[in-house]
Amino acid sequence: MISDKGMAFIAAGLAMFGAFGPGIGIGLMVNGAMQAIGRNPDAAGAVQTNMILGIVFTEAIAIYALVVALIMVFVA
Amino acid sequence: MNTSLRGLLYLVIGIAVIALVCVWPAFFLLPQVGAGVALPVIVLPAEVLQGNLLPSFFGYDVTNTFTSMILVDIILLVIGFVVYRATRVSAPDRFVPRGFTNFMELVTEFLYNQGRPLVGENTRKVFPVAGTIFLMLLVANLVKLVPGFESVGQLACAEPNQTYYNIHKPYGSGGAYFYLNNALDISDRSGTRANEDDTHACEEKYPRLTPPIVLAKQARGTYTETKGPEENTESEGDHSEEGTPESGEQPADATGEANPAEGETAPDPTQSSSINPMSYRGVDSTVAKAETGNPEAFVVIPWFRAYATDLNLPLALSLIVVVMVQFWGVSALGPSYFFKFINLPALGNLGKKPLGAIDFIVGLIEIVSELSRLVSLTFRLFGNIFAGGILVIVLSFLMGFLLPVPFYLLEVFVGAVQAYVFALLTFIYAGQAMTGHHGDDDHAEAHH
């Protein structure tokens, strides 16, 4: 009923549900960083560096979901 | 009027402006001149430009990321040479650099100061690798934003499942461009995906426009021929083949943000004076739909493509980083570095500390963690750059006026950040490997 290509596109859309988790995770992380900077503005540099680091790690998970979606669209 | 009423007025005006600027030109105004909203051609692997460069020796295909690599390397070598001359040769007694050398010192010092707290006294070992990766990725991610990248290239027949376009050549002009009748034109098949019949028909009519990857595969003998049409496609009149275009001789076009139907100018494949030139579409669309394939299915293969969108580059850099981290760990800790993975001391202490068996299992899991670093480094870089490129090109095809600009700025930021993050992660992994794990409790005896 649904063609193979159509199924692949649906799969690509479903795969991007995996971007919910990192989105929430990054939000929580930046929340913590904002609170830390608010409490101790002198430590803003160190806090920001570690926040960027953490964001990069969690964003990689969203990129994994994106890669699966790209495979669905272009390879399958 | 009170504030909420004013807000409502602004909202209505905003929606009207958006409808006027975004919807009406793209879907109603521009299609009347053959330039409608179209689907871009997105290809995941790097496209081959010239296959089988040295067939008897390498059989290596020149892809459009290979040309990008050469460009990035030339830029880096020029930068390095200029800075070297400025610091060593021309003014060796000048301690304060000026101009471009000052900027490069800023960049280098920034990365060095980022890495030194992480790596400590081993910075001299780690910084060359991390700095090279940082500079190369910075240049590669910033040079892909120069107009002409991923938009100027050579004409080729569309491969199966690629979005293709017909060529329109207005009467009296010297150039041609990709033509689209309606926005998201599905009925006419131009702007939709090609199937094997289209590729076959196009290859038969314009053999010089065969996609280079097909030529390369044929030369290597790995091309699987799909079933072609039995007869030639019906075209109007008799077309002589002397007008077949040379691939790769197109003058440069405007940036990729321009009107989607303005492709690269190309010598027109066929000329037939019996057809009204303003409606010349190559092949009558009804014929193309009914019969064996549309021979006018063309696509543009860009000459340059963002270097990090070729999966080979992030994979290669990640392999280098992961292997070098093992080297640095051994150079700092000696062979006992491998006790991180195969935790023999914990196993040997099983008599005194039975729970040390858990440390042994954790050590084995560390191997998986190392391999996952390989995957994460690769796909973080690849996904960010490739997805950013797709975002910009899809927005450019949707509405090429003003809409892609903030996403272009986002691309500048993301490109620089991904380069920085790759280098920073190199430092972090090296630092973790060189300080080692001090989880065991039997360090009471001198373990320096």
Side-chain angles (χ1 to χ4, degrees), chain B residues 83-329:
Chain B
V83 172
Y84 175 76
R85 294 234 1 147
T87 58
R88 296 296 172 91
V89 177
S90 64
D93 57 340
R94 180 187 291 163
F95 285 127
V96 180
R98 300 201 192 159
F100 185 67
T101 314
N102 201 6
F103 175 68
M104 288 315 296
E105 181 182 278
L106 189 150
V107 167
T108 312
E109 207 170 318
F110 166 69
L111 192 67
Y112 193 85
N113 290 335
Q114 288 296 315
R116 199 154 51 90
L118 299 166
V119 188
E121 71 268 5
N122 295 307
T123 311
R124 306 209 58 174
K125 291 182 208 165
V126 181
F127 183 69
V129 175
T132 308
I133 291 177
F134 174 64
L135 282 178
M136 185 180 78
L137 286 181
L138 191 66
V139 171
N141 290 341
L142 292 183
V143 84
K144 80 162 161 123
L145 299 170
V146 169
F149 255 70
E150 296 179 342
S151 54
V152 180
Q154 67 183 44
L155 201 65
C157 289
E159 289 179 60
N161 279 331
Q162 273 190 345
T163 313
Y164 71 89
Y165 294 97
N166 297 331
I167 280 187
H168 178 68
K169 185 174 194 305
Y171 181 67
S173 75
Y177 51 86
F178 285 148
Y179 182 85
L180 201 66
N181 202 14
N182 297 312
L184 294 176
D185 195 350
I186 307 293
S187 64
D188 219 357
R189 292 195 65 227
S190 172
T192 59
R193 294 178 181 266
N195 47 28
E196 287 93 3
D197 295 335
D198 297 324
T199 311
H200 252 279
C202 182
E203 284 174 21
E204 281 180 22
K205 191 170 177 188
Y206 308 111
R208 305 196 59 170
L209 286 187
T210 317
I213 190 169
V214 169
L215 288 174
K217 283 185 182 170
Q218 281 171 346
R220 283 199 292 266
T222 60
Y223 181 57
T224 53
E225 190 95 4
T226 57
K227 212 110 179 40
E230 303 304 308
E231 69 226 280
N232 283 333
T233 40
E234 205 144 322
S235 316
E236 53 289 293
D238 43 334
H239 300 282
S240 53
E241 289 282 46
E242 70 236 10
T244 50
E246 313 283 331
S247 37
E249 282 178 16
Q250 342 269 314
D253 187 25
T255 72
E257 298 172 18
N259 199 303
E262 281 173 15
E264 285 62 34
T265 57
D268 190 44
T270 55
Q271 288 269 20
S272 176
S273 54
S274 62
I275 300 206
N276 180 8
M278 285 312 289
S279 66
Y280 172 62
R281 306 278 291 285
V283 173
D284 188 11
S285 59
T286 55
V287 174
K289 271 191 293 186
E291 301 225 348
T292 52
N294 184 1
E296 309 288 328
F298 301 119
V299 93
V300 170
I301 297 181
W303 281 322
F304 292 101
R305 184 175 142 146
Y307 189 20
T309 60
D310 191 354
L311 191 56
N312 294 312
L313 174 75
L315 183 65
L317 291 179
S318 310
L319 274 173
I320 288 174
V321 166
V322 166
V323 168
M324 286 308 294
V325 161
Q326 313 309 315
F327 269 125
W328 290 325

Side-chain angles (χ1 to χ4, degrees), chain A residues 9 49 53 56-57 59-60 63-64 66-67 70 74-75, chain B residues 42 193 376 379-380 383-384 386-387 421 424-425 428-429:
Chain A
F9 287 135
T49 306
L53 192 64
V56 161
F57 277 117
E59 191 167 357
I63 301 291
Y64 298 161
L66 178 68
V67 165
L70 287 177
F74 290 114
V75 178
Chain B
I42 299 172
R193 294 178 181 266
S376 81
F379 283 111
R380 179 183 299 113
N384 270 296
F386 188 61
V421 156
L424 192 69
L425 282 174
I428 289 172
Y429 295 155

Side-chain angles (χ1 to χ4, degrees), chain A residues 9-72:
Chain A
F9 287 135
I10 293 178
L14 285 177
M16 285 318 291
F17 272 112
F20 273 138
I24 297 177
I26 292 180
L28 286 172
M29 210 184 321
V30 179
N31 171 40
M34 290 298 128
Q35 288 188 358
I37 293 180
R39 285 173 190 247
N40 188 5
D42 289 335
V47 169
Q48 188 173 337
T49 306
N50 289 312
M51 179 191 81
I52 297 278
L53 192 64
I55 285 178
V56 161
F57 277 117
T58 56
E59 191 167 357
I61 311 294
I63 301 291
Y64 298 161
L66 178 68
V67 165
V68 171
L70 287 177
I71 290 177
M72 288 297 121

Side-chain angles (χ1 to χ4, degrees), chain B residues 295-416:
Chain B
E296 309 288 328
F298 301 119
V299 93
V300 170
I301 297 181
W303 281 322
F304 292 101
R305 184 175 142 146
Y307 189 20
T309 60
D310 191 354
L311 191 56
N312 294 312
L313 174 75
L315 183 65
L317 291 179
S318 310
L319 274 173
I320 288 174
V321 166
V322 166
V323 168
M324 286 308 294
V325 161
Q326 313 309 315
F327 269 125
W328 290 325
V330 172
S331 81
L333 297 178
S336 66
Y337 165 74
F338 291 112
F339 290 160
K340 184 168 80 161
F341 302 120
I342 303 183
N343 202 347
L344 293 180
L347 214 55
N349 269 335
L350 269 185
K352 282 183 265 181
K353 279 178 25 130
L355 291 180
I358 293 181
D359 288 338
F360 184 72
I361 305 292
V362 167
L364 292 179
I365 294 179
E366 287 283 334
I367 299 180
V368 179
S369 164
E370 286 287 324
L371 295 177
S372 85
R373 283 179 186 174
L374 186 70
V375 171
S376 81
L377 280 174
T378 306
F379 283 111
R380 179 183 299 113
L381 177 64
F382 171 74
N384 270 296
I385 306 300
F386 188 61
I390 288 184
L391 184 66
V392 167
I393 202 169
V394 166
L395 285 173
S396 303
F397 269 71
L398 202 59
M399 181 184 129
F401 180 68
L402 280 190
L403 183 63
V405 171
F407 295 96
Y408 224 74
L409 290 173
L410 181 71
E411 273 307 290
V412 175
F413 178 66
V414 164

